[in-house]
Amino acid sequence: YFQAASGTSGGSSGSPVFDRTGRVIALNAGGSRRAASSFFLPLDRVVRALEFVQRGEAVPRGTMQVTLAHTSFDEVRRLGVSADMEAALREERPDATGLLVVQDVVPMGPADGLLRPGDVLLAVDGVAIDTFIPMEAACDDAVGQHLNVGLVRGGEVMDLQVPVQSLHEVSPASYLEFGGGILHALSYQQARTHAVPVQGVVVASSGYALADAGVRAGDVVLEVDGVETPDLPTLTRTLAALADGQRVSIRVFSLADPARERVSVLRVDRRWFPMQHCERDDRTGEWPCTASAPPPEADAVPPRSAVPPETRDKVAQKLARSLVAVDFDAPVRTEGIYGANFRGTGVVVDADRGLVVVDRDTVPVALGDVSITFGATLTVPGLVRWIHPEHNLAIVQYDPADMGAAPIEAATLDSRPLADGDGIWQVGLNQRDQLVSKATKVSQVRAAQLPLPSPPFFRETNLEVVHTDGAAWTMGGVLADKKGRVRALWASFVDLSGEEPDAWFAGVPSRHLLDAIAHLDAGGGAWPAVGAELVPVGLAVARDLGLDDPTVAALARADADRVVLGVARVSAGSPAAAVLQEGDLVLRVDGSLVTEPGPVESAVRAGGAAFQILRRGRVLEVELQPWMVDADGTARAVGFAGALVHAPHAAVAQQRGIEPTGVYVAWYWYGSPAGRYGLRPTRRITAVDGMPTPDLDSFLAAVGERAVGDSVRLDVMDLQGRQRVITLEVDPVYWPTYELRRGGGAWERVGR
């Protein structure tokens, strides 16, 4: 390279460099802003390549798979170059300052076993060389042939015939998309950097399925399902023969640690992401893709039995056959979830139907894959059956036919409320799926209050949770009495207001579990919610807000905590938004004093209720109808231009007071048009090219069929209500439009 004392800005790589007479002498290739230095690539090899391209021919590039370093004469003398050799070279090339020295030889490459690190090159095919360009030219002109390399090795002069390989043969020209990841043949550049042979298939991007198996970018795949995969065609055939959801072994090593191999379990994904092979077309510069054939049907798996854990604790032993580990993996981000992999403890509530209740920090949304592990010995697939729109509960289901004669039992749920000082047993599973138990006491039962998450995501409200004096370290479980009856789900509550998630555990009383199960048994569907967040307000504060003395006295006698319920926020678009305001105090519901949110929820869920409220010193009577919230969660999402969009989820209306209209941007992929043109998560698309898009159907109609290079104009609105217009150039070849749909509990991907 030419080095110049000039500063060049980012993005100027490839720009022409002119001399004083206006001739182009180089291309800008890089620089250092701190040192105001730039590096320019001379044009000799560029011009050669251009001439081949102009003739419509492939550009020959040769390699011996050797890394050379230009080394000063002082150094090469110590490597064995004699004074006579140096003098002869200096006479032939007066400007020479050093020679080329072999730095690395790629194992199993053309020069392996011939050249060695420390060899000093003197000549190629009888022509003295001291710089890179003549060496590169010789390799480019001898593809498929041999070069006669003269060198010095430890003072001994040698002539070796070294084969020259085409650089194109060791440069990937195709890749495989699988499970949202990208794999291709290991390149020469990667091999020489890590001193491994140029062979095998490397993971360029792990995506969903491979990342879930612990396979990372930079890993080389050696074997899948017991089949060695030395090249991309073999790996493609092996993966194509596996059924969706099939669990197989995968063996890899990391380029950063090639001496150590790892084996893990890969769950094959052919549902969320397409599997296709893409190959570069040198005529067009594009990478057309060929879709793999549909996966085969999964073979029937005979029922298998789990081995329940053993413990000396009598209470824990009664629950050992009812507690399971639940894994949830999200292929894409919806509804503001903060991660891709979640794990927790669930409790079997119906063994005949395979129903399991978990918290929403384990199964946060409906769109994802569920796995359920019994006794740390057997894992089976599951489905999300129901997501509680208000409380920290979800219901998943496994197929009991997968269990055979496995000793699985449903836990007994006891809806009696817990009180301060009650003796209780915490029973759960730790990260190794081991049964853990601890006798403790209820310290307090109080309202769960969490700050607003950013971005909008499920947040617990209107629930009094159970806290204990001390807790064993688990990933969830239950609170049970001495007879093993479940009094509460020991659930994880996550605070997403800071830079990192902060989780804590508390008990969700069993009556809420029973309500959820009864709702599912009745057909599921929309859940009747209050539509307002109720928080405790001290009576002293309530008096200052205008609450009269008789009511203060009555509330003080009714509740030991001496609080009244205040309206913290109302959900946009709900019936509550029409009759309640933030700052209202709820005094009575259907004529009865209320100090806890539970009775309020029950009254509203029964079909509506009469509220007596205090608003700015005035007592008002209002009728509140339930807000029917979809309990299926997001059941449909659309991929468009590298963004994932869906209908605004309930948290947007509950937490930000935004009407649930428009199309909510949940996620985007780096490098996509959405990422390049600034279509960011939490925005709502309200119009496309001037056409309103209040829902997904209108959005898809407005987007229509677009060709590569077509542009769209999007009206977007952020969470503060600020409107913007952005333009976006679509690329349906690499970022096509598709839908993810849920039906009967199962998901499918549908192209458009």
Side-chain angles (χ1 to χ4, degrees):
Y1 292 89
F2 300 139
Q3 182 177 354
S6 65
T8 54
S9 61
S12 62
S13 295
S15 300
V17 179
F18 298 88
D19 66 8
R20 287 183 297 179
T21 65
R23 297 176 302 178
V24 178
I25 60 170
L27 298 178
N28 183 32
S32 171
R33 294 181 182 178
R34 290 179 296 179
S37 294
S38 296
F39 298 92
F40 304 138
L41 180 68
L43 295 184
D44 53 344
R45 310 310 296 160
V46 176
V47 170
R48 171 184 177 271
L50 176 61
E51 291 171 349
F52 277 99
V53 172
Q54 289 172 329
R55 294 195 299 267
E57 301 175 4
V59 181
R61 297 290 307 281
T63 180
M64 297 185 295
Q65 295 192 25
V66 172
T67 302
L68 304 174
H70 188 270
T71 305
S72 68
F73 280 117
D74 286 343
E75 177 69 19
V76 297
R77 288 192 206 105
R78 293 191 288 270
L79 291 172
V81 174
S82 67
D84 292 340
M85 295 177 189
E86 179 183 345
L89 182 63
R90 284 183 180 275
E91 182 177 351
E92 184 175 347
R93 296 183 180 275
D95 295 334
T97 59
L99 294 172
L100 300 182
V101 176
V102 176
Q103 191 174 62
D104 296 298
V105 179
V106 175
M108 299 177 64
D112 188 24
L114 297 172
L115 299 181
R116 299 179 187 175
D119 288 350
V120 181
L121 304 192
L122 300 176
V124 173
D125 286 345
V127 179
I129 60 167
D130 64 309
T131 59
F132 294 113
I133 291 176
M135 185 69 201
E136 187 173 350
C139 286
D140 289 347
D141 293 338
V143 175
Q145 304 174 33
H146 288 72
L147 287 177
N148 182 21
V149 178
L151 57 88
V152 174
R153 178 180 297 165
E156 180 183 356
V157 178
M158 306 175 66
D159 286 301
L160 300 175
Q161 295 293 315
V162 182
V164 178
Q165 182 182 19
S166 172
L167 187 60
H168 299 300
E169 294 179 6
V170 288
S171 300
S174 66
Y175 64 88
L176 174 69
E177 286 189 35
F178 168 76
I182 302 292
L183 304 100
H184 58 70
L186 183 68
S187 72
Y188 161 61
Q189 301 296 348
Q190 291 172 300
R192 76 177 186 86
T193 299
H194 298 281
V196 298
V198 187
Q199 60 184 26
V201 180
V202 67
V203 178
S205 173
S206 55
Y208 171 59
L210 292 169
D212 191 39
V215 178
R216 300 179 291 270
D219 285 348
V220 175
V221 181
L222 299 173
E223 180 183 284
V224 173
D225 196 25
V227 178
E228 293 186 355
T229 55
D231 50 47
L232 193 62
T234 303
L235 177 63
T236 301
R237 290 192 301 271
T238 302
L239 292 173
L242 301 174
D244 178 56
Q246 186 173 345
R247 300 172 70 90
V248 298
S249 64
I250 181 169
R251 184 165 59 91
V252 302
F253 73 84
S254 170
L255 287 174
D257 188 11
R260 186 173 69 92
E261 296 180 0
R262 308 193 315 272
V263 178
S264 59
V265 176
L266 169 69
R267 180 175 56 198
V268 176
D269 167 52
R270 297 293 303 277
R271 171 175 44 176
W272 303 111
F273 298 96
M275 179 175 171
Q276 55 187 6
H277 180 263
C278 308
E279 189 164 352
R280 187 183 70 231
D281 185 339
D282 290 331
R283 296 169 302 173
T284 64
E286 296 179 350
W287 295 69
C289 300
T290 302
S292 296
E297 292 293 328
D299 294 334
V301 178
R304 296 161 295 171
S305 295
V307 180
E310 297 291 338
T311 178
R312 295 182 179 180
D313 186 294
K314 294 182 179 180
V315 175
Q317 190 59 43
K318 292 178 181 178
L319 291 162
R321 300 182 177 187
S322 304
L323 296 179
V324 296
V326 178
D327 289 274
F328 181 85
D329 301 303
V332 294
R333 306 288 182 93
T334 59
E335 300 186 28
I337 61 172
Y338 61 92
N341 308 104
F342 301 84
R343 195 159 207 265
T345 302
V347 55
V348 178
V349 294
D350 189 328
D352 293 333
R353 291 187 293 168
L355 297 181
V356 177
V357 175
V358 295
D359 59 47
R360 286 198 60 176
D361 196 27
T362 301
V363 179
V365 296
L367 198 157
D369 289 313
V370 177
S371 298
I372 303 173
T373 301
F374 298 83
T377 57
L378 174 63
T379 298
V380 299
L383 291 174
V384 179
R385 283 298 309 275
W386 196 76
I387 300 284
H388 204 305
E390 282 197 300
H391 297 316
N392 191 12
L393 297 171
I395 300 176
V396 299
Q397 186 175 31
Y398 63 91
D399 187 350
D402 292 337
M403 306 303 299
I408 307 302
E409 297 177 358
T412 300
L413 303 182
D414 189 335
S415 63
R416 291 176 300 161
L418 288 167
D420 296 0
D422 285 351
I424 204 76
W425 274 259
Q426 176 206 351
V427 185
L429 301 176
N430 62 19
Q431 285 286 357
R432 292 188 294 172
D433 293 359
Q434 294 173 323
L435 196 64
V436 177
S437 64
K438 181 178 181 178
T440 184
K441 289 185 178 182
V442 175
S443 60
Q444 58 179 340
V445 180
R446 62 177 176 85
Q449 291 184 277
L450 289 160
L452 287 181
S454 180
F457 178 66
F458 166 76
R459 166 177 164 269
E460 183 61 79
T461 59
N462 300 345
L463 179 69
E464 292 202 327
V465 297
V466 181
H467 296 269
T468 63
D469 282 338
W473 196 96
T474 66
M475 56 178 189
V478 297
L479 298 179
D481 61 19
K482 61 182 180 181
K483 294 185 178 180
R485 295 173 297 198
V486 174
R487 307 291 294 278
L489 178 73
W490 189 243
S492 173
F493 295 79
V494 62
D495 178 358
L496 297 176
S497 60
E499 294 184 1
E500 297 292 334
D502 184 17
W504 47 272
F505 283 88
V508 178
S510 287
R511 67 180 180 85
H512 295 286
L513 280 66
L514 291 167
D515 288 344
I517 297 167
H519 185 80
L520 182 64
D521 289 342
W527 174 265
V530 174
E533 181 181 345
L534 306 175
V535 297
V537 177
L539 291 182
V541 174
R543 189 191 295 273
D544 293 338
L545 294 175
L547 190 60
D548 61 73
D549 290 349
T551 306
V552 169
L555 288 168
R557 291 191 297 269
D559 189 276
D561 291 334
R562 303 197 169 197
V563 296
V564 64
L565 291 179
V567 178
R569 53 180 51 85
V570 294
S571 302
S574 69
V579 298
L580 296 180
Q581 296 180 9
E582 294 177 2
D584 289 349
L585 300 181
V586 180
L587 308 179
R588 290 178 171 83
V589 174
D590 289 338
S592 300
L593 286 171
V594 291
T595 59
E596 299 176 0
V600 179
E601 284 190 324
S602 298
V604 173
R605 200 164 64 243
F611 276 48
Q612 184 187 72
I613 61 174
L614 179 68
R615 177 181 298 163
R616 293 187 288 276
R618 296 178 56 203
V619 175
L620 303 175
E621 304 286 341
V622 298
E623 291 287 334
L624 180 61
Q625 296 300 312
W627 180 34
M628 305 307 293
V629 184
D630 190 355
D632 288 332
T634 295
R636 184 185 180 200
V638 170
F640 168 73
L644 189 78
V645 301
H646 56 67
H649 49 296
V652 176
Q654 292 167 334
Q655 298 166 17
R656 304 305 173 99
I658 295 174
E659 293 280 350
T661 61
V663 177
Y664 185 82
V665 181
W667 190 249
Y668 76 97
W669 280 265
Y670 294 111
S672 69
R676 189 162 58 250
Y677 294 102
L679 186 60
R680 295 293 183 261
T682 74
R683 272 45 169 190
R684 285 180 301 131
I685 302 172
T686 58
V688 176
D689 291 336
M691 183 182 299
T693 55
D695 52 37
L696 282 177
D697 288 328
S698 60
F699 173 77
L700 288 170
V703 171
E705 296 292 333
R706 305 275 176 160
V708 175
D710 286 353
S711 63
V712 294
R713 187 178 73 255
L714 305 177
D715 291 10
V716 299
M717 185 177 295
D718 65 15
L719 294 176
Q720 286 73 42
R722 293 173 297 202
Q723 293 183 327
R724 285 185 57 199
V725 175
I726 65 173
T727 59
L728 184 150
E729 186 177 303
V730 300
D731 186 354
V733 173
Y734 298 110
W735 301 99
T737 300
Y738 62 91
E739 288 188 63
L740 296 174
R741 300 174 183 169
R742 183 186 184 199
W747 287 87
E748 64 174 346
R749 177 176 171 134
V750 181
R752 294 186 64 85

